[in-house]
């Protein structure tokens, strides 16, 4: 039996979700982690919520890289915990976000587009050359992930991520122990981009992309760029050396 909840809309498909959001009075919701904190801070609850967790398009998750697919599709309503379990470079990076109880509820889409919140995955997705599939009143569109969080219009819905299945290297180090790394570096050999970060803090490493475009090995500049961010030299060059090796 379906239980009706006042103010909660469960759309039949993405087009209906977009139509409900068109008047600007409703807010899309999946994990609701950002919404709950916003309300606790006094922002007030919206009059209507659009539940995205029942839409197959938003909850589907392709296998990790190595499946033979040209790209991996990750629905926007997939939880971070599920993404971690799925493996791959993106899953490894997601394991550093927040705590396990938060990852059980927080979704990929919310992490990328929720206003006023750290977009931990955005820098990693940029490094991997991912694109976003977005649905709006006019049409669907695909847009490359940039470092600017202002990607969606108010009436648009993030449907999915498309992440190239090309190899990427993820290394970690600099912590008190090997099991508690302070930093994580993600390097995509296909895009020539890299990102460094830890939970709640991530930075692009643009010099690696410049080096790749000039035909220079990424590893030759990655260490110096990390040192420039304040990473101890021994840690920086260890991470750079391991990042420069081919992905397993």
């Amino acid at each position: 039996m379906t239980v009706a909840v006042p103010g909660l809309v469960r759309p039949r498909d993405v087009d209906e979700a977009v139509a409900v959001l068109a008047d600007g009075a409703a807010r899309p919701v999946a994990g609701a982690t950002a919404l709950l904190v916003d309300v606790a801070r006094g922002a007030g609850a919206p009059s209507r919520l659009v539940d995205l967790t029942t839409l197959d398009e938003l909850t589907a998750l392709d296998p990790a890289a190595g499946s033979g697919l040209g790209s991996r599709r990750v629905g926007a309503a997939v939880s971070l915990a599920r993404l971690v379990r799925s493996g791959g470079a993106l899953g490894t990076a997601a394991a550093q976000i927040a705590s396990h109880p938060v990852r059980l509820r927080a979704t990929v889409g919310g992490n990328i587009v929720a206003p006023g919140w750290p977009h931990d995955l955005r820098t990693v997705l940029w490094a991997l050359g991912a694109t976003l599939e977005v649905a709006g009143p006019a049409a669907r569109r695909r847009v490359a992930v940039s470092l600017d969080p202002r990607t969606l219009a108010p009436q648009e819905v993030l449907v999915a991520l498309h992440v190239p299945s090309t190899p990427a290297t993820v290394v970690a180090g600099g912590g008190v122990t090997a099991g508690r790394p302070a930093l994580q570096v993600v390097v995509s050999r296909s895009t020539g981009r890299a990102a460094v970060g830890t939970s709640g803090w991530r930075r692009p490493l643009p010099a690696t992309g410049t080096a790749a475009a000039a035909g220079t090995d990424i590893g030759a500049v990655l260490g110096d760029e990390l040192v420039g961010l304040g990473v101890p030299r021994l840690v920086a060059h260890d991470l750079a050396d391991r990042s420069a090796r081919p992905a397993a």
Side-chain angles (χ1 to χ4, degrees), residues 7 25-27 35-36 38-49:
R27 175 170 172 171
L35 173 64
L36 291 173
D38 286 346
V39 172
R41 288 175 174 174
S47 59
R48 283 194 298 171
L49 298 174

Side-chain angles (χ1 to χ4, degrees), residues 177-200:
T177 67
R180 295 175 58 192
L183 292 173
Q184 181 187 73
V185 176
V186 179
V187 177
S188 169
R189 312 304 293 183
S190 60
T191 65
R193 295 173 178 171
V196 61
T198 187
S199 180

Side-chain angles (χ1 to χ4, degrees), residues 131-205:
T131 59
L132 305 180
E133 181 181 343
V134 179
R140 292 202 185 198
R141 61 191 179 101
R142 291 273 289 269
V143 57
V145 174
S146 72
L147 300 176
D148 185 350
R150 296 168 296 181
T151 302
L152 272 64
Q155 292 80 29
E156 288 185 318
V157 172
L158 177 60
V159 178
L161 315 175
H162 294 267
V163 186
S165 294
T166 50
T169 303
V170 183
V171 298
V176 179
T177 67
R180 295 175 58 192
L183 292 173
Q184 181 187 73
V185 176
V186 179
V187 177
S188 169
R189 312 304 293 183
S190 60
T191 65
R193 295 173 178 171
V196 61
T198 187
S199 180
W201 176 85
R202 291 188 185 273
R203 289 281 300 273
L205 298 172

Side-chain angles (χ1 to χ4, degrees), residues 18-214:
V18 170
V20 175
L21 292 168
D23 63 6
R27 175 170 172 171
V29 65
T33 50
L35 173 64
L36 291 173
V37 175
D38 286 346
V39 172
R41 288 175 174 174
S47 59
R48 283 194 298 171
L49 298 174
V50 181
D51 182 6
L52 303 179
T53 61
T54 60
L55 301 179
D56 291 343
E57 279 196 85
L58 274 71
T59 58
L61 174 62
D62 284 346
S67 63
L69 301 172
S71 65
R72 182 186 189 192
R73 186 183 186 280
V74 180
V78 169
S79 72
L80 294 178
R82 188 177 167 205
L83 183 61
V84 171
R85 292 195 301 270
S86 73
L90 192 57
T92 301
Q96 277 202 325
I97 298 173
S99 62
H100 179 64
V102 173
R103 292 194 295 268
L104 287 173
R105 292 193 58 85
T107 62
V108 170
N111 182 270
I112 297 169
V113 303
W117 291 87
H119 300 130
D120 308 79
L121 283 181
R122 180 174 289 274
T123 306
V124 177
L125 291 167
W126 166 82
L128 296 176
T131 59
L132 305 180
E133 181 181 343
V134 179
R140 292 202 185 198
R141 61 191 179 101
R142 291 273 289 269
V143 57
V145 174
S146 72
L147 300 176
D148 185 350
R150 296 168 296 181
T151 302
L152 272 64
Q155 292 80 29
E156 288 185 318
V157 172
L158 177 60
V159 178
L161 315 175
H162 294 267
V163 186
S165 294
T166 50
T169 303
V170 183
V171 298
V176 179
T177 67
R180 295 175 58 192
L183 292 173
Q184 181 187 73
V185 176
V186 179
V187 177
S188 169
R189 312 304 293 183
S190 60
T191 65
R193 295 173 178 171
V196 61
T198 187
S199 180
W201 176 85
R202 291 188 185 273
R203 289 281 300 273
L205 298 172
T208 56
T210 303

